[in-house]
């Protein structure tokens, strides 16, 4: 059959990405005073993206000293990778195979492809809710969507009981996707004691932990504390995968810098490396160099300064949570419990708003959120906190009265 001239005419439009889709609708909206808190980016008080000062410094030296724009090795910059695994595991990790990837998304995809290739019968379970792209990435690798419960939605709180019960229930040898810190979208993380109990279940049931660590440093302000679950699972000798992103904690969003770090047995490392490179070669060939060179320079010479900046960012997020909660308490009195906002951590606040409330917030207050009702605290300027609180309190009241 010949194609003819219009070769795409049978296609239906693909579903818009739930987060970038809101960005597009926001751009088109004619509403005055519009505010988007949808996308996960850290903004200044003026509501603009910014570049960390350590990144600027590293780029300046690169500009002067960089002598080539050659292809990177398929697995990425070896020195950067060794520094990155140190940041993850707190020291040099024996039997860690690391790949530099295009962002955390690329790391998740590469990990998913490796798992699918070698464990095609395995099932992968993600928290419900989770970052909406997880499902798409693992579906693209050939995995069916599966989830474990994460929230006690009546209380808008993390439910260890639900999560533990589901991890007991699912078939032995499942892959379990875990958010290492600053769970997206809920902002609720298990306590250390709960992580220890989860590790016991996961290891007893021979599940494979696949950590997504997109926010190291931004949860508590301390890189070591945020990596606790990964390091604890590693100490207990679990084979594991970690997909990391430098988009948020170095603000390198568009540079596309992530890593996939796999802990395996010594006799498996060469095979894992070879197959990871084989998949990378036919997917993106080799990762972008610029972000990795920036990160390497920072980790080699500006690490303390970077960690200080991230600590300040994390403090600022906590300050905004407090201010938002106080503002909401003043507006709602005792009619609504907003205390969960301060129990959450990281860049997001899971409001538990329904689809209808999210629509109302946009129609009445020109505040744009994704359908999940997640608020990006990191993009909320202080001057707009009172206004956002008024909008949230309003839609919470309207729907309570229905
Ligand atoms: C939980 C989680 N994982 C992975 C990613 C992907 O990160 P990147 O933008 O580096 O691909 C994000 C980005 O928002 C995220 O929130």
């Amino acid at each position: 059959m010949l194609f003819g001239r219009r070769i795409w005419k049978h296609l239906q439009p693909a579903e818009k990405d739930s987060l970038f889709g809101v960005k597009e609708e926001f751009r088109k909206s004619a509403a005055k005073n519009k505010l988007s808190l949808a996308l996960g980016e850290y903004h200044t008080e003026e509501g603009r993206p910014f570049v960390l000062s350590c990144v600027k410094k590293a780029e300046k030296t690169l500009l002067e000293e960089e002598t080539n724009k050659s292809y990177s090795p398929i697995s990425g910059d070896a020195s950067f990778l060794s520094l990155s695994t140190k940041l993850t595991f707190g020291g040099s990790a024996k039997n860690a195979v690391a790949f530099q990837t295009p962002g955390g998304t690329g790391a998740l995809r590469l990990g998913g492809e490796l798992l699918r290739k070698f464990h095609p019968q395995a099932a992968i379970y993600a928290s419900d809710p989770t970052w909406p792209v997880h499902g798409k990435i693992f579906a693209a690798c050939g995995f069916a969507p599966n989830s474990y419960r994460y929230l006690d939605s009546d209380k808008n709180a993390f439910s260890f009981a639900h999560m533990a019960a589901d991890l007991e229930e699912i078939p032995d040898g499942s892959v379990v996707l875990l958010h290492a810190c600053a769970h997206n979208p809920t902002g609720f993380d298990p306590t250390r004691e709960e992580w220890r109990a989860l590790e016991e279940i996961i290891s007893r049931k021979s599940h494979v932990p696949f950590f997504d660590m997109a926010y190291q440093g931004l949860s508590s302000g301390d890189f070591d504390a945020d990596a606790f679950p990964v390091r604890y699972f590693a100490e207990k000798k679990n084979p594991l995968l970690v997909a990391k992103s430098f988009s948020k904690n170095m603000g390198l969003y568009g540079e596309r810098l992530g890593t996939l770090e796999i802990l395996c047995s010594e006799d498996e490392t060469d095979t894992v490396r070879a197959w990871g490179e084989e998949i990378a070669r036919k997917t993106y060939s080799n990762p972008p160099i610029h972000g990795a060179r920036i990160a390497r320079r920072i980790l080699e010479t500006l690490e303390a300064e970077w960690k200080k900046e991230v600590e300040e960012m994390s403090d600022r997020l906590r300050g905004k949570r407090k201010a938002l909660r106080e503002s909401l308490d003043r507006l709602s009195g005792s009619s609504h419990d907003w205390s969960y906002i301060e129990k959450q951590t990281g860049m997001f606040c899971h409001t538990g708003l329904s689809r209808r409330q999210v629509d109302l917030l946009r129609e009445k207050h020109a505040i744009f959120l994704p359908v999940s009702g997640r608020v990006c605290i990191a993009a909320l300027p202080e001057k707009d906190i009172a206004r956002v609180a008024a909008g949230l309190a309003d839609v919470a009241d309207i729907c309570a009265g229905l």
Side-chain angles (χ1 to χ4, degrees), residues 33-46:
N33 212 14
K34 60 184 178 175
L35 177 66
S36 176
L37 301 174
L39 213 55
E41 275 193 5
Y42 188 94
H43 285 176
T44 62
E45 280 311 313
E46 291 71 45

Side-chain angles (χ1 to χ4, degrees), residues 247-285:
S247 299
K248 321 287 173 164
N249 59 14
M250 275 195 192
L252 294 176
Y253 309 95
E255 297 292 355
R256 312 307 298 133
L257 181 64
T259 61
L260 174 69
E261 297 167 13
I262 298 179
L263 273 194
C264 50
S265 305
E266 195 173 351
D267 60 345
E268 296 169 320
T269 52
D270 288 347
T271 320
V272 171
R273 184 172 297 106
W275 277 106
E277 289 182 359
E278 149 71 18
I279 294 167
R281 179 68 170 126
K282 63 192 177 202
T283 315
Y284 51 83
S285 190

Side-chain angles (χ1 to χ4, degrees), residues 132-149:
V133 194
H134 281 145
K136 293 187 184 200
I137 294 171
F138 294 120
C141 300
F143 289 105
N146 284 303
S147 60
Y148 56 85
R149 288 169 298 164

Side-chain angles (χ1 to χ4, degrees), residues 19 26 71 93 178 200 214 241-242 352 397:
L19 301 171
F26 177 76
Y71 287 126
L178 300 161
E200 191 281 318
L241 298 89
V242 191
D397 277 355

Side-chain angles (χ1 to χ4, degrees), residues 19 40 102-106 108 130-131 134 179 182-184 212-215 243-248 253 256-258 348 374:
L19 301 171
T105 306
L108 289 160
T130 193
W131 180 52
H134 281 145
H179 297 232
H183 183 276
N184 179 4
D212 183 341
M213 186 152 67
Y215 298 94
K244 290 202 317 186
S245 168
F246 287 83
S247 299
K248 321 287 173 164
Y253 309 95
R256 312 307 298 133
L257 181 64
F348 304 108
R374 183 192 80 169

Side-chain angles (χ1 to χ4, degrees), residues 87-90 178-183 187 189-192 195 211-233 242-245 248-249 306-307 310-311 313-315 317-318 345-347:
L87 196 65
T88 307
F89 297 105
L178 300 161
H179 297 232
C181 59
H183 183 276
D189 290 336
T191 62
R192 286 191 176 194
W195 275 122
F211 283 99
D212 183 341
M213 186 152 67
Y215 298 94
Q216 188 181 6
L218 283 166
S219 179
S220 65
D222 176 337
F223 280 76
D224 297 325
D226 286 0
F228 169 79
V230 177
R231 293 182 189 177
Y232 183 74
F233 276 65
V242 191
K244 290 202 317 186
S245 168
K248 321 287 173 164
N249 59 14
W306 172 49
K307 288 184 168 171
V310 173
E311 192 183 351
M313 288 159 80
S314 160
D315 285 350
L317 293 175
R318 256 186 305 282
T345 169
M347 286 179 42

Side-chain angles (χ1 to χ4, degrees), residues 307-376:
K307 288 184 168 171
K308 183 100 194 56
E309 276 191 85
V310 173
E311 192 183 351
E312 281 164 16
M313 288 159 80
S314 160
D315 285 350
R316 191 166 158 251
L317 293 175
R318 256 186 305 282
K320 282 181 200 291
R321 285 186 186 284
K322 187 166 184 300
L324 180 62
R325 190 238 163 129
E326 285 171 358
S327 211
L328 280 160
D329 281 350
R330 274 195 297 277
L331 290 161
S332 302
S334 57
S335 72
H336 200 96
D337 180 7
W338 299 102
S339 59
Y340 64 80
I341 292 177
E342 278 196 86
K343 291 181 190 138
Q344 298 169 346
T345 169
M347 286 179 42
F348 304 108
C349 165
H350 179 69
T351 58
L353 291 187
S354 65
R355 175 74 195 253
R356 170 150 166 67
Q357 287 169 314
V358 169
D359 289 345
L360 279 172
L361 201 58
R362 187 181 301 191
E363 287 157 23
K364 286 187 68 188
H365 300 275
I367 297 169
F368 287 64
L369 302 186
V371 287
S372 64
R374 183 192 80 169
V375 172
C376 181

